Amino acid sequence: MPLLRMFRVFVCCVLALTAMGVCGQNSLANQTIKWDDYTYKFLSTGQSAQVFDSAGKVVGTILSMNGDLQMIPLPGTDEEKLKKSFADWKAFYARSHSAGGSSSAGATATPAASSSNGGPAVPCPSTYGVSYFDGTAWKTMMLAVQMPKEKSVSLSQGFKDMGKNPLNPRAGETMIYRYKDPAAPLTTGPNPSFCVSISANFNPSQIMIGTVDIKKDHREIEQAVSSRDSWLPPKRVQQVDIKRVSETVVVVTPKTPLPPGQYVLGGPPMVGIYDFGVRASQ
């Protein structure tokens, strides 16, 4: 009898562990998960999914192999990027489903921030707005104090505009966007990290970091009226990495160290404009 009782206990434990594994995968059933530049659309079993890129093109398949989800990229895709992104998602999913973690498969919890240039491994805040990492914790940023805009005229821009369209009635016209004080209240190092809260349907590629000119009592950006396709002139835009860590949070980091100077970060109108300065490396 004792032997039979032990056998029954053993069988019950095995069945419980099996059920836990199945439930973990079934929690992905019919889920659509957006992560980085990809979308995972799981089938009803929760053990396979199609993978789409930002353009809606199928770039891979997720299959369960020996109880573990594996990424199988299609030929001609960026296999390394795809597998790296999937590995990051799996790590987040494992953390969020561990004891005391979140139970949401759709990455609604905010995982630790990370970036290709060594971002902080500290969870992003879930509050609305933009935060920066001060070396130990995320701190809330304040919106840039904008001053009244000014109209101006640029001779060099006028020649450019006339070269494209000799009949352009607004050739050479510019708009000057001004920000209070010659320096932002926040100063960071050359490799800052920012957590940005966004809506689930917002395209994070609109978030940019750009340089501003320093004047005696303010900072400003002059932009040609004829070329306002973006909220920042192309020559001012700094290259950034944007990593979506949840449906409503992205981490923004510069691809290369920022030179000393004054900057703005934003993605209007959905994301406001925030300002900061960069000190010289010591």
Side-chain angles (χ1 to χ4, degrees):
M1 289 296 292
L3 182 61
L4 180 59
R5 187 177 294 111
M6 291 177 61
F7 178 73
R8 287 176 178 173
V9 171
F10 172 76
V11 171
C12 288
C13 290
V14 171
L15 291 176
L17 291 172
T18 303
M20 288 173 64
V22 172
C23 289
Q25 290 183 343
N26 284 346
S27 67
L28 293 169
N30 298 315
Q31 292 283 333
T32 298
I33 297 173
K34 294 181 180 179
W35 187 262
D36 288 342
D37 297 328
Y38 305 106
T39 300
Y40 310 148
K41 292 188 176 181
F42 282 88
L43 303 181
S44 58
T45 61
Q47 299 186 37
S48 61
Q50 283 189 308
V51 182
F52 299 83
D53 62 12
S54 57
K57 179 182 178 182
V58 177
V59 293
T61 302
I62 298 172
L63 293 176
S64 178
M65 298 181 181
N66 298 321
D68 185 32
L69 294 175
Q70 299 290 329
M71 172 65 71
I72 304 176
L74 291 180
T77 60
D78 191 337
E79 180 176 338
E80 183 177 350
K81 178 183 176 183
L82 190 55
K83 287 187 173 182
K84 174 63 169 60
S85 178
F86 183 61
D88 289 344
W89 173 79
K90 282 177 63 178
F92 161 66
Y93 183 75
R95 287 195 304 270
S96 63
H97 285 70
S98 62
S102 166
S103 60
S104 171
T108 54
T110 307
S114 60
S115 68
S116 59
N117 63 357
V122 177
C124 281
S126 58
T127 53
Y128 177 79
V130 175
S131 302
Y132 72 98
F133 192 70
D134 71 349
T136 58
W138 293 101
K139 299 294 182 65
T140 301
M141 292 180 67
M142 302 299 292
L143 286 165
V145 179
Q146 299 189 46
M147 301 171 64
K149 295 179 290 186
E150 291 185 348
K151 294 182 179 180
S152 185
V153 176
S154 170
L155 183 61
S156 60
Q157 184 62 46
F159 283 123
K160 293 180 181 179
D161 292 340
M162 294 295 287
K164 295 178 181 179
N165 180 8
L167 301 179
N168 185 352
R170 307 194 68 180
E173 291 186 18
T174 64
M175 187 68 71
I176 300 176
Y177 298 87
R178 304 188 302 158
Y179 303 95
K180 185 180 178 182
D181 297 327
L186 169 66
T187 301
T188 74
N191 294 293
S193 295
F194 303 97
C195 275
V196 183
S197 175
I198 60 174
S199 61
N201 60 353
F202 177 73
N203 180 1
S205 65
Q206 299 177 46
I207 300 173
M208 303 178 188
I209 291 177
T211 59
V212 296
D213 293 331
I214 303 172
K215 302 299 181 179
K216 182 178 180 180
D217 61 352
H218 68 279
R219 291 152 291 150
E220 65 181 38
I221 295 175
E222 184 175 17
Q223 186 167 13
V225 172
S226 60
S227 61
R228 285 191 292 175
D229 298 327
S230 169
W231 71 277
L232 272 177
K235 66 180 182 180
R236 295 184 178 273
V237 175
Q238 307 297 300
Q239 295 300 309
V240 296
D241 282 317
I242 301 176
K243 184 176 181 62
R244 186 185 286 272
V245 296
S246 80
E247 285 289 314
T248 57
V249 176
V250 295
V251 175
V252 180
T253 53
K255 287 183 178 290
T256 58
L258 297 175
Q262 295 293 312
Y263 297 84
V264 288
L265 174 149
M270 299 300 291
V271 177
I273 297 177
Y274 298 77
D275 56 348
F276 65 98
V278 172
R279 59 178 172 267
S281 299
Q282 298 179 348

